[in-house]
Coordinates of all heavy atoms in Angstrom, one line a residue:
T50 N 16.0 -6.9 -2.9 CA 15.2 -7.0 -1.6 C 15.9 -6.1 -0.6 O 16.8 -5.4 -0.9 CB 15.4 -8.5 -1.2 OG1 14.5 -8.8 -0.1 CG2 16.8 -8.9 -0.8
D51 N 15.2 -6.0 0.6 CA 16.0 -5.3 1.7 C 16.5 -6.3 2.7 O 16.2 -7.6 2.6 CB 15.0 -4.2 2.4 CG 13.9 -4.9 3.3 OD1 14.1 -6.0 3.8 OD2 12.9 -4.3 3.4
Q52 N 17.3 -5.9 3.6 CA 18.2 -6.8 4.4 C 17.2 -7.6 5.3 O 17.4 -8.9 5.3 CB 19.1 -5.9 5.4 CG 20.0 -6.7 6.0 CD 21.1 -7.1 5.1 OE1 21.7 -6.4 4.4 NE2 21.4 -8.5 5.0
T53 N 16.2 -7.1 5.8 CA 15.3 -7.9 6.7 C 14.6 -9.0 5.9 O 14.5 -10.2 6.4 CB 14.2 -6.9 7.4 OG1 14.9 -5.8 7.9 CG2 13.3 -7.6 8.4
V54 N 14.0 -8.7 4.8 CA 13.2 -9.6 4.0 C 14.3 -10.6 3.4 O 14.0 -11.8 3.5 CB 12.5 -8.9 2.9 CG1 11.7 -9.9 2.0 CG2 11.5 -7.9 3.5
G55 N 15.4 -10.1 3.0 CA 16.3 -11.0 2.3 C 16.8 -12.0 3.3 O 17.0 -13.2 2.9
D56 N 17.1 -11.5 4.5 CA 17.6 -12.6 5.6 C 16.7 -13.8 5.7 O 16.9 -14.9 5.9 CB 17.7 -12.0 6.9 CG 18.9 -11.1 7.0 OD1 19.7 -11.1 6.0 OD2 19.1 -10.3 7.9
R57 N 15.3 -13.5 5.5 CA 14.3 -14.5 5.7 C 13.9 -15.3 4.4 O 13.7 -16.5 4.5 CB 13.0 -13.9 6.3 CG 13.1 -13.4 7.7 CD 11.9 -12.5 8.1 NE 11.9 -12.2 9.5 CZ 12.6 -11.3 10.1 NH1 13.5 -10.5 9.3 NH2 12.6 -11.1 11.4
Y58 N 13.7 -14.6 3.4 CA 13.2 -15.3 2.1 C 14.0 -15.3 0.8 O 13.6 -15.9 -0.1 CB 11.8 -14.5 1.8 CG 10.9 -14.5 3.0 CD1 10.6 -13.4 3.7 CD2 10.4 -15.7 3.5 CE1 9.8 -13.3 4.8 CE2 9.5 -15.8 4.6 CZ 9.3 -14.6 5.3 OH 8.5 -14.8 6.4
A59 N 15.2 -14.6 0.8 CA 16.0 -14.6 -0.4 C 16.4 -15.8 -0.9 O 16.4 -16.3 -2.0 CB 17.2 -13.5 -0.3
L60 N 16.8 -16.8 0.1 CA 17.4 -18.0 -0.2 C 16.3 -18.9 -0.9 O 16.5 -19.5 -2.0 CB 17.9 -18.6 1.0 CG 18.6 -20.1 0.7 CD1 19.8 -20.0 -0.2 CD2 19.1 -20.7 2.1
V61 N 15.0 -18.8 -0.4 CA 14.0 -19.6 -0.9 C 13.7 -19.2 -2.3 O 13.5 -20.0 -3.3 CB 12.7 -19.4 -0.1 CG1 11.4 -19.9 -0.8 CG2 12.8 -20.0 1.4
V62 N 13.7 -17.9 -2.6 CA 13.3 -17.3 -3.9 C 14.5 -17.6 -4.8 O 14.2 -18.0 -6.0 CB 13.1 -15.8 -3.8 CG1 12.9 -15.2 -5.1 CG2 11.8 -15.6 -2.9
D63 N 15.7 -17.4 -4.4 CA 16.8 -17.6 -5.2 C 17.0 -19.1 -5.7 O 17.2 -19.3 -6.9 CB 18.2 -17.3 -4.4 CG 19.5 -17.2 -5.1 OD1 19.6 -18.1 -6.0 OD2 20.2 -16.4 -4.8
T64 N 16.7 -20.0 -4.8 CA 16.6 -21.4 -5.1 C 15.6 -21.7 -6.1 O 15.9 -22.5 -7.1 CB 16.5 -22.3 -3.8 OG1 17.4 -21.8 -2.8 CG2 16.6 -23.8 -4.1
S65 N 14.4 -21.1 -5.9 CA 13.4 -21.4 -6.8 C 13.7 -20.9 -8.3 O 13.4 -21.5 -9.3 CB 12.1 -20.8 -6.3 OG 11.0 -20.9 -7.2
L66 N 14.2 -19.7 -8.3 CA 14.6 -19.1 -9.6 C 15.7 -19.8 -10.2 O 15.6 -20.2 -11.5 CB 15.1 -17.7 -9.4 CG 14.0 -16.6 -9.0 CD1 14.7 -15.4 -8.6 CD2 13.0 -16.3 -10.2
A67 N 16.7 -20.3 -9.5 CA 17.8 -21.1 -10.1 C 17.3 -22.5 -10.6 O 17.8 -22.9 -11.8 CB 18.9 -21.3 -9.0
R68 N 16.3 -23.1 -9.9 CA 15.8 -24.3 -10.4 C 15.2 -24.2 -11.8 O 15.1 -25.1 -12.6 CB 14.7 -24.8 -9.4 CG 15.0 -26.0 -8.7 CD 13.8 -26.6 -7.9 NE 12.7 -25.8 -7.7 CZ 12.3 -25.2 -6.5 NH1 13.1 -25.4 -5.4 NH2 11.2 -24.6 -6.4
Q69 N 14.7 -22.9 -12.2 CA 14.1 -22.8 -13.5 C 15.2 -22.2 -14.4 O 14.8 -21.6 -15.5 CB 12.9 -21.7 -13.4 CG 11.8 -22.4 -12.5 CD 11.2 -23.6 -13.3 OE1 11.0 -23.7 -14.5 NE2 11.0 -24.7 -12.5
G70 N 16.4 -22.2 -14.1 CA 17.5 -21.9 -15.1 C 17.8 -20.4 -15.0 O 18.5 -19.9 -16.0
F71 N 17.3 -19.6 -14.1 CA 17.6 -18.2 -14.1 C 18.9 -18.1 -13.4 O 19.2 -18.7 -12.4 CB 16.6 -17.4 -13.3 CG 15.3 -17.1 -13.8 CD1 14.2 -18.0 -13.5 CD2 15.0 -16.2 -14.7 CE1 12.9 -17.8 -14.0 CE2 13.8 -15.9 -15.3 CZ 12.7 -16.8 -15.0

Side-chain angles (χ1 to χ4, degrees):
T50 190
D51 74 27
Q52 193 69 56
T53 308
V54 176
D56 287 349
R57 289 169 171 80
Y58 304 110
L60 183 61
V61 167
V62 171
D63 188 322
T64 307
S65 172
L66 288 166
R68 244 187 350 246
Q69 293 298 316
F71 289 99

